[in-house]
Amino acid sequence: MEIRTDLALERRELAPEPCGGITSETLSMGNTKITRITVTDPQGAKLVGKPQGTYITIEVPPFSDESASDDERRSAITVELNRILPQNGPILIAGLGNADITPDALGPKTVEHILATRHIGQELSTALGLGVLRSVSVISPGVLGKTGIETAEIIKGVVGEVNPAAVIVIDALASRRLSRLGCTVQIADTGITPGSGVGNSRSEISQSTLGVPVVALGVPTVVDATTLAKDLLQGEEEQEDIHQNGAGMMVTPKEIDTVITHAADLVALSINCALHPHLSPEVLMALV
Amino acid sequence: MEIRTDLALERRELAPEPCGGITSETLSMGNTKITRITVTDPQGAKLVGKPQGTYITIEVPPFSDESASDDERRSAITVELNRILPQNGPILIAGLGNADITPDALGPKTVEHILATRHIGQELSTALGLGVLRSVSVISPGVLGKTGIETAEIIKGVVGEVNPAAVIVIDALASRRLSRLGCTVQIADTGITPGSGVGNSRSEISQSTLGVPVVALGVPTVVDATTLAKDLLQGEEEQEDIHQNGAGMMVTPKEIDTVITHAADLVALSINCALHPHLSPEVLMALV
Amino acid sequence: MEIRTDLALERRELAPEPCGGITSETLSMGNTKITRITVTDPQGAKLVGKPQGTYITIEVPPFSDESASDDERRSAITVELNRILPQNGPILIAGLGNADITPDALGPKTVEHILATRHIGQELSTALGLGVLRSVSVISPGVLGKTGIETAEIIKGVVGEVNPAAVIVIDALASRRLSRLGCTVQIADTGITPGSGVGNSRSEISQSTLGVPVVALGVPTVVDATTLAKDLLQGEEEQEDIHQNGAGMMVTPKEIDTVITHAADLVALSINCALHPHLSPEVLMALV
Amino acid sequence: MEIRTDLALERRELAPEPCGGITSETLSMGNTKITRITVTDPQGAKLVGKPQGTYITIEVPPFSDESASDDERRSAITVELNRILPQNGPILIAGLGNADITPDALGPKTVEHILATRHIGQELSTALGLGVLRSVSVISPGVLGKTGIETAEIIKGVVGEVNPAAVIVIDALASRRLSRLGCTVQIADTGITPGSGVGNSRSEISQSTLGVPVVALGVPTVVDATTLAKDLLQGEEEQEDIHQNGAGMMVTPKEIDTVITHAADLVALSINCALHPHLSPEVLMALV
């Protein structure tokens, strides 16, 4: 019985030792913990069930923890994004997911707060005292069931018009632990495949399909019910005994509306700060 | 370690045998199962942790089950409501809960689709071909944290103005099983205490506080994470081993937006049909 | 042909001279203009078509005017509210109108941002560093067509439970000028009658019906189409020639969603500041 | 002073006689009036201020008129769409406008109810008893100020991926008359330029920029305040005297939320019926 998670960090934990083809390093900054996992060869990819590349996990204190500041949470994400994004050139940001399904709305909600600048002339931005703004464009492509078009196709089409130096895709993820929901961010240089594991080449959103680097930023918002039950168990042996009743059902906290609102605000501000480092968070918040 | 549930049916299952002071009967109609539990004395009340009175549980097929019709689901609820409601006199309906928290929004969403008629003169309703409409009024009182007023106080104040023959309160409940969410309805003649068990007499909504019968209609929309884990286990002994990590966290399915929409539509139509039995479901749907 | 407006200031402009029974004074503070009109006798009441009492009109710069600060806009409203509200005792605030009709949603949207405190114990508020908070409770009573209950009845019922020293009702108004929409606030000590002029005693919300002072705070959000046309004309004589086509149709700016959002935020913060003068606007904004 | 309208029908009325280069025919079907205007040469294009092509105006009874049925309203739009659309091949539908500005939300709201089929295999649709479905895909491209990308660019990019036989763009329009709002539909084979008249070639959405036929379907939802005033006047001479105060301000009825909801439902169903003529309106409504 498989533990369902989209986090490379959690898959690494579950992989049998020794883990060849996987390296990892961890550092802590105040209340924030950052883990960088690199999958270096096909064997590692098989072990963690994810493509070769780098997966950065940022664990920030939950929003209910008032000993931590939003600045601290944002700062770690901004720094890690800047390590992985190209330093120059236009950026296209896509918010994946279904805006009408609360736990799936992270992408669409986040891009509502991204500062789009591609259409703002340099003269205007200078006149407004904003200096030279990096070109940023934003789309919310919707979901296949409502559009009839693979998200990857829409992004590919827009990439052809906008010619970005890189694409950032934002999506809601599944985690094995309730405690991660809304307060863990995974940044990967591998792109993603929505409804991952489907093995549908039309749906892959990556450098190989788009022709430019794709940074995937995800936040866990759901947990598989069976995984949740297993995770609440101490011993190994009981895991055999789990009923199949909850199989395939994804659950989310009662407070998911608040979780999504906070996470979307945090991720949007982190991206805005990463792309316009000469502007303060306060100025950027006032602009969106 | 306690199993958390607001359903008398589930509490009855968990109570140790023999269950003095509790009677129950079950009947099936097509795909629908109805269980009537009566708590007849204080001993029974202690066993199920709920006040004396009658608790009707209606289990309808989930909305994803296309072999069942909405008419069938509605019909059972309408019939049971009519068994418990006074046959004449004005009715006040209150939709409890927080409209901004998806799993808690059942009450506010349901009352949006209740046909309010108290302000419609008989001449007008006759002229519209609707015959004599029973007087129905509707409120959505909000939640204590946003209003500063106990829900029970708001309802009490409005009862004093409207003088109903009975009050129906609609609320989201907790269940021990994920599979019940959105497809089980509990109708009780005992009223309710929001955030039940708090033992706050200001918050009790019942005949003893309002002076008129109070029918509580609830639909489970959340499950306690620990209860969920226990429920997914087969044996008894493993229940000791559950981690405390998820303690107190309520979870809900990823599809909660859809669950709430369907359940609110179903409950509202069932109530409209119960209160205006001379009008067809189609006519009632067109009026709201 | 009558000019439709809910503003005493505009009715005063339209009344024929001499205006016995009406006194008025005007003062300017920076970009803000304040006019206090007092209707002192029945003759004045007839001239302006409004009950005897005091009507304060606060004209602030529109939100698109960036030379004015939000602090300046808020400050004037807060000062005038404090002149008219009792200095002590619990306050009940009711946001009138239909949350689903954008230009009518000012009341419901405003009360979403009012800090409700009645349920917060003094120990807790002191422990949170908020000092002694004035007791504030909040309701959003809905509209007659959806509840079957007159707004005045719901408020009266809640007043009976909460026993406030005064009630503030917030509502959207009609003005004769497009330029006023969203940037004029009228504060009156006369209460209001929703759908005013109907002469329905059940619907009056005033000291005579509730037994406590009622402060009505309104913001124009709609203009009568015919009034708009007349107001855009220079001469007198053309006014005879207006078609009856637009008669009775109320219009609102294309940007009404933004107008309502800004006005609701402004009014809520002004009220919060008036009721908790020992707390800064920044602290109050963080609390709601 | 210019009358502002996006309707060819209204521009034709305003053009000085004789109108060379413009032909028109009118027919009535029950309560519905259909006018087909063809702009045949550059002189006609200059007179009506619109590109050469065909403009069909469908005037249906307002929704408040209960003597007319929704079927009648829908039927006329479906018939006219089918006259102008290619009979075969995939269709891409784009809902233009800002979902957060109520009078501008017609496009995004309409496409929420369009049946997307491109991703549904023929086996599945046959198994579901739906027969062979025409390939339909749907996008909601957002607005330049939020995306940084011209709507035309996003559509062009998606056209490159989807290769439709034609594109339908849906947008909110300006009319000179309040009475048209929500109950007039213009269908043109010329495409459109959002924020028309700007003369920005990047923003034109037409066969010349996309390479496939573009059908523009628009519904008036706003009126220019000055145009409204002029239209409410009888004589010619007073038109000189209109104040400049309302210049440039667009207004919309107080009931705009309801207008948009009804119009979006009507347009979506009309398009669904036009594209899947073998399915009944009832079946199509149940599918979206």
Side-chain angles (χ1 to χ4, degrees), chain C residues 218-240:
Chain C
V219 177
T221 66
V222 293
V223 179
D224 176 82
T226 314
T227 305
L228 168 66
K230 290 168 86 170
D231 203 59
L232 291 173
L233 295 179
Q234 255 169 345
E236 285 291 313
E237 61 286 6
E238 298 90 341
Q239 304 199 3
E240 311 305 321

Side-chain angles (χ1 to χ4, degrees), chain C residues 100-103 178 222 225-226 228-229 231-234 238 241-243 245-246 249-254 257-258, chain D residues 100-103 178 222 225-226 228-229 231-234 238 241-243 245-246 249-254 257-258:
Chain C
D100 295 333
I101 303 293
T102 304
L178 269 178
V222 293
T226 314
L228 168 66
D231 203 59
L232 291 173
L233 295 179
Q234 255 169 345
E238 298 90 341
D241 301 323
I242 291 176
H243 279 185
N245 296 343
M249 202 154 197
M250 306 299 287
V251 297
T252 195
K254 187 184 175 190
D257 299 83
T258 311
Chain D
D100 295 332
I101 302 292
T102 304
L178 270 177
V222 294
T226 313
L228 167 65
D231 202 58
L232 290 172
L233 294 179
Q234 254 168 347
E238 298 90 339
D241 300 323
I242 290 177
H243 280 186
N245 296 341
M249 202 154 197
M250 305 300 287
V251 298
T252 194
K254 186 185 176 192
D257 299 84
T258 311

Side-chain angles (χ1 to χ4, degrees), chain C residues 1-41:
Chain C
M1 205 169 201
E2 201 195 344
I3 295 282
R4 286 176 56 167
T5 171
D6 294 323
L7 294 177
L9 177 70
E10 292 184 342
R11 285 190 186 262
R12 170 69 187 78
E13 289 171 359
L14 295 163
E17 296 291 344
C19 269
I22 302 172
T23 66
S24 83
E25 58 168 334
T26 299
L27 64 147
S28 291
M29 305 200 319
N31 293 302
T32 301
K33 189 176 158 197
I34 295 167
T35 308
R36 295 195 192 96
I37 292 177
T38 308
V39 179
T40 56
D41 65 19

Side-chain angles (χ1 to χ4, degrees), chain B residues 131-152:
Chain B
V132 179
L133 293 171
R134 187 168 186 178
S135 168
V136 177
S137 47
V138 173
I139 54 168
S140 192
V143 289
L144 179 62
K146 287 179 148 192
T147 64
I149 317 173
E150 292 282 353
T151 302

Side-chain angles (χ1 to χ4, degrees), chain D residues 107-119:
Chain D
K109 292 248 182 201
T110 300
V111 295
E112 280 179 22
H113 301 287
I114 296 287
L115 181 66
T117 62
R118 179 173 170 270
H119 60 303

Side-chain angles (χ1 to χ4, degrees), chain C residues 4 6 94-112 139-147 151 169-174 181-182 192-196 217-223 250-253 255-261 263-264, chain D residues 102 252-258:
Chain C
R4 286 176 56 167
D6 294 323
L96 310 193
N98 187 338
D100 295 333
I101 303 293
T102 304
D104 201 31
L106 178 81
K109 292 248 181 199
T110 299
V111 297
E112 280 179 21
I139 54 169
S140 191
V143 290
L144 179 62
K146 289 180 147 192
T147 64
T151 302
V169 292
I170 302 161
D171 203 5
L173 304 178
L181 302 193
I192 62 165
T193 304
S196 62
L217 188 157
V219 177
T221 66
V222 293
V223 179
M250 306 299 287
V251 297
T252 195
E255 299 76 14
I256 183 62
D257 299 83
T258 311
V259 168
I260 293 288
T261 300
Chain D
T102 304
T252 194
K254 186 185 176 192
E255 299 76 15
I256 184 63
D257 299 84
T258 311

